[in-house]
Amino acid sequence: MPLPPDLTQFLASVHPYDSLPDAALADLAGQARTLDVAVGDTVFEVGDTVRHLYVVAEGEVEITDGTGVQLSILGTRNSFGERALLRGDAASRTATVQAPARLIAIDADTFFELIDTHAAVARFFDRRRPERGRDKGVATLPVERLMTRDPVACAPDTPIRDAARQMHDRRISSVCICDGDAFRGIVTLRDMTGRVIVGGHAPEAPVAGIMTAAPLTLAPDALVSDVLHLMVERGIGHVPIVAGDRLHGIVTQTDLTRAQAMSSADLVGSVARAASADEMARATAQIPALLLQLVETGNRHEVVTRLITDIADTATRRLLTLAEARLGPAPVPYLWLACGSQGRQEQTGVSDQDNCLILSDDVTEADMPYFAALARFVSDGLDRCGYYHCPGDMMATNPRWCQPLRVWRDYFAGWIAKPDHEAQMLASVMFDLRPIGGDASLFAGLQAETLAAAAKNSIFTAHMIANSLKHQPPLGLLRGLATIRSGEHRNRLDLKMNGVVPVVDLGRVQTLQGRLRPVNTRARLEAAIAAGVLSKSGGADLLDAYDLIATMRLDHQAAQIKAGKAPDNFLDPSDLSDFERSHLRDAFVVVKTMQSAAGSGKGAIG
């Protein structure tokens, strides 16, 4: 079987190696070796240690999963083996030759050296290595990587003078107040100045008298960008890191260099300070450029969408504040919630708005015009900022979605008791609710009650599973890619409705089955694996598939923005390399397989 006469020339025709400088490409060709493999031979199988990345020079290789289900047939210029290499695990798939094959084998050390020294190769393979991604800057780090651990703390009955002495002696700007292991509040230099020197509190009085009780906090798994956004939006300089009621650390302005990761924080700050929706819109108009920057600097898809969603959250809260300034204080407590992609913290460059209002049960008919006006002000402001009115009218401006808590309880109880088509659709939307602004206690009890009731009702769960299977991955005969057949987007793939949404639906069902609290899709999948609702192997495959699809969607939108076009979700598969098409097809097959497992109702899926 003839190998292409010039291995260097052949590799130069295979993406991403076509991006290598001539010298690096020649080195790669010199280090690679070729293998002739007969029909029926196995290159590796489930459980094997994979030591090479393989490129098909000639022939065909079948990839099957652990149950023998065919995932794909790989032809010339397709690669395989990178999955196990990047995850550092034994192979979870089997590669068997279907037609006499000649393979180019690139050993693991050479493969990782390519990733470490060539940015284009790294970017290409980063989407396949969730745990090996390189740091993308301080903004995307977990906050626990930068926080001050074991911050200075004192008891609530500590005299103010003693707390001030600790701050002076240690040259710090705050002290945390803890009752045993329980975090209670914080005292800063500003508190000392305003409440003691100016306010007249006696230095011998307990420090609890001047502390800020229950301050804004973040969890240890928050991102540094979350700290920046909170500081900029709320005008604070200290953020305690708390899990449950236990203090883990603290982040202050002096812990961070403001010059780092201020791209999204700058937008958050501009939105938070805006005096009108028009001024806010000038800031949100920069979101496409931000998305492009975040994608091009190699941030993971869930980080990009979270940062983009933070801006929508800030815009919503600022509009609520502006609404109250115009309309006066709300007559009763209320809570504004987002659903859809904003609720799941998964907004991209294309977003409408989906939201609702939960009102205190003390609300009267006389109060309702106030909330109708508030909803209209906020919804129109969001539309002005590029978060367009929902075509399905799933907004707080619709009286149906601006109701007292008791009515919302009746809604969910009715949908669960009688899961007809409309109930399934509405429940699918409303199970993605996330509080944005107002009294969050109005939702906490409702969420817990609804998850418990839904999980107990097997008929409702079965209907929700069936509803989740309506959006199918775009696979045709022989598991090839099936594009849209007619219309404006003919010959393209809808990476939202046929790519991301099927995984979103699976994640939502698993949330119900496991009574899990997360709303974000990736967090739902991880929680489902931890709870045993998803098997470890099936869950890992589904996470990989979701990461690949979501990343390609963002890459596609970034490319459109860079070309001066409005971003959308419709990808022409001819724009992809053979390698990318192959792995996108594999990802769709994984999603389809997991849908089939969910539909069968056989315990933990996967």
Side-chain angles (χ1 to χ4, degrees):
M1 178 191 310
L3 182 71
D6 186 340
L7 183 54
T8 303
Q9 183 179 351
F10 176 75
L11 287 172
S13 71
V14 180
H15 192 65
Y17 317 110
D18 57 355
S19 65
L20 295 175
D22 291 344
L25 188 61
D27 286 344
L28 175 61
Q31 295 175 34
R33 62 190 183 94
T34 59
L35 304 172
D36 290 327
V37 192
V39 173
D41 283 357
T42 297
V43 182
F44 57 76
E45 59 187 0
V46 173
D48 284 353
T49 299
V50 177
R51 304 184 187 279
H52 296 83
L53 173 74
Y54 298 94
V55 182
V56 181
E58 294 286 348
E60 292 183 347
V61 177
E62 179 189 45
I63 306 296
T64 55
D65 66 14
T67 63
V69 173
Q70 184 191 91
L71 297 177
S72 59
I73 294 287
L74 305 180
T76 303
R77 292 184 175 79
N78 279 188
S79 302
F80 62 97
E82 82 289 341
R83 176 187 176 85
L85 289 174
L86 295 171
R87 290 173 59 173
D89 295 333
S92 61
R93 299 179 178 183
T94 296
T96 307
V97 172
Q98 294 295 300
R102 177 161 284 187
L103 308 178
I104 300 169
I106 301 169
D107 69 77
D109 289 342
T110 301
F111 174 61
F112 287 120
E113 184 179 352
L114 284 172
I115 287 179
D116 291 337
T117 56
H118 298 283
V121 178
R123 283 195 298 271
F124 184 81
F125 283 108
D126 267 349
R127 67 181 56 159
R128 304 291 300 169
R129 56 173 189 167
E131 301 304 325
R132 291 183 58 94
R134 298 160 295 157
D135 288 345
K136 309 301 180 185
V138 66
T140 58
L141 292 177
V143 73
E144 63 180 356
R145 294 268 295 273
L146 291 185
M147 71 183 183
T148 299
R149 299 177 183 274
D150 300 319
V152 175
C154 65
D157 58 358
T158 300
I160 293 173
R161 186 190 305 278
D162 291 351
R165 183 174 292 114
Q166 287 191 68
M167 294 167 65
H168 176 270
D169 291 346
R170 301 197 183 202
R171 298 183 179 181
I172 55 177
S173 58
S174 66
V175 62
C176 294
I177 312 302
C178 295
D179 188 1
D181 291 332
F183 175 70
R184 292 289 180 255
I186 188 172
V187 172
T188 68
L189 285 175
R190 182 186 297 178
D191 297 327
M192 289 288 183
T193 302
R195 298 174 184 175
V196 181
I197 298 175
V198 177
H201 274 77
E204 295 77 25
V207 72
I210 65 166
M211 74 177 183
T212 299
L216 294 168
T217 65
L218 289 172
D221 61 353
L223 301 177
V224 171
S225 62
D226 294 330
V227 178
L228 282 166
H229 292 178
L230 199 60
M231 287 180 173
V232 171
E233 181 183 357
R234 303 301 179 92
I236 58 177
H238 303 77
V239 179
I241 307 303
V242 177
D245 63 354
R246 191 168 74 85
L247 181 67
H248 283 244
I250 191 168
V251 179
T252 70
Q253 286 179 330
T254 55
D255 295 324
L256 303 169
T257 303
R258 275 195 174 275
Q260 293 176 300
M262 280 301 292
S263 55
S264 57
D266 274 340
L267 288 190
V268 166
S270 297
V271 169
R273 294 187 298 270
S276 67
D278 285 342
E279 185 178 336
M280 207 176 297
R282 287 193 287 274
T284 57
Q286 300 175 54
I287 288 177
L290 172 64
L291 184 146
L292 174 60
Q293 175 186 324
L294 291 170
V295 171
E296 287 196 328
T297 52
N299 289 282
R300 288 180 55 81
H301 71 88
E302 69 271 24
V303 172
V304 176
T305 56
R306 183 167 175 173
L307 297 181
I308 297 297
T309 306
D310 281 352
I311 299 168
D313 291 355
T314 303
T316 304
R317 286 190 288 267
R318 182 58 180 159
L319 287 165
L320 287 168
T321 299
L322 294 175
E324 289 192 27
R326 172 177 291 190
L327 302 172
V332 299
Y334 69 88
L335 178 63
W336 185 283
L337 304 98
C339 47
S341 59
Q342 185 184 359
R344 296 190 304 274
Q345 294 181 297
E346 294 167 7
Q347 286 190 316
T348 65
V350 187
S351 295
D352 60 1
Q353 56 176 289
D354 300 280
N355 45 59
C356 65
L357 273 168
I358 298 178
L359 311 178
S360 165
D361 283 337
D362 294 332
V363 71
T364 66
E365 281 299 320
D367 298 327
M368 295 307 290
Y370 175 94
F371 290 108
L374 180 140
R376 175 57 59 191
F377 183 95
V378 176
S379 180
D380 286 350
L382 289 172
D383 182 75
R384 178 72 183 84
C385 292
Y387 305 103
Y388 305 113
H389 289 135
C390 174
D393 205 19
M394 190 67 67
M395 298 182 296
T397 51
N398 183 338
R400 188 179 186 185
W401 310 128
C402 177
Q403 292 291 334
L405 177 58
R406 63 179 179 273
V407 174
W408 280 99
R409 282 199 168 97
D410 289 343
Y411 282 165
F412 279 101
W415 295 334
I416 293 169
K418 188 181 178 182
D420 57 22
H421 175 73
E422 184 188 42
Q424 295 169 41
M425 183 273 293
L426 293 174
S428 293
V429 172
M430 295 303 179
F431 277 124
D432 291 349
L433 286 175
R434 182 171 61 89
I436 303 298
D439 186 349
S441 68
L442 291 170
F443 181 63
L446 176 63
Q447 183 188 40
E449 293 167 16
T450 301
L451 285 173
K456 290 177 182 177
N457 190 319
S458 59
I459 296 176
F460 173 77
T461 302
H463 278 278
M464 285 295 290
I465 291 173
N467 189 61
S468 74
L469 306 181
K470 291 181 179 178
H471 296 105
Q472 295 286 322
L475 293 168
L477 294 176
L478 303 178
R479 298 184 183 241
L481 294 176
T483 58
I484 298 169
R485 294 184 178 181
S486 60
E488 178 185 0
H489 304 296
R490 184 172 178 267
N491 295 329
R492 286 172 169 79
L493 302 171
D494 187 340
L495 290 181
K496 178 183 177 181
M497 298 309 297
N498 300 115
V500 170
V501 168
V503 186
V504 169
D505 290 341
L506 284 171
R508 187 182 299 113
V509 166
Q510 289 146 19
T511 296
L512 296 179
Q513 292 177 321
R515 303 187 192 185
L516 306 172
R517 294 293 185 93
V519 177
N520 174 266
T521 297
R522 204 173 197 285
R524 280 173 165 172
L525 297 179
E526 291 173 337
I529 294 168
V533 180
L534 261 177
S535 71
K536 288 185 178 179
S537 61
D541 281 351
L542 188 55
L543 277 172
D544 278 356
Y546 178 58
D547 287 341
L548 181 66
I549 297 166
T551 300
M552 280 197 175
R553 180 190 182 199
L554 282 180
D555 286 348
H556 166 67
Q557 292 189 3
Q560 289 180 303
I561 293 167
K562 193 169 186 177
K565 301 177 182 177
D568 63 27
N569 296 298
F570 301 98
L571 173 70
D572 185 342
S574 66
D575 291 339
L576 302 176
S577 67
D578 291 343
F579 181 95
E580 290 173 311
R581 279 196 299 275
S582 170
H583 285 287
L584 182 60
R585 182 178 61 243
D586 287 355
F588 289 146
V589 170
V590 167
V591 176
K592 178 67 175 177
T593 301
M594 298 301 284
Q595 285 184 323
S596 299
S600 70
K602 295 180 180 179
I605 69 172

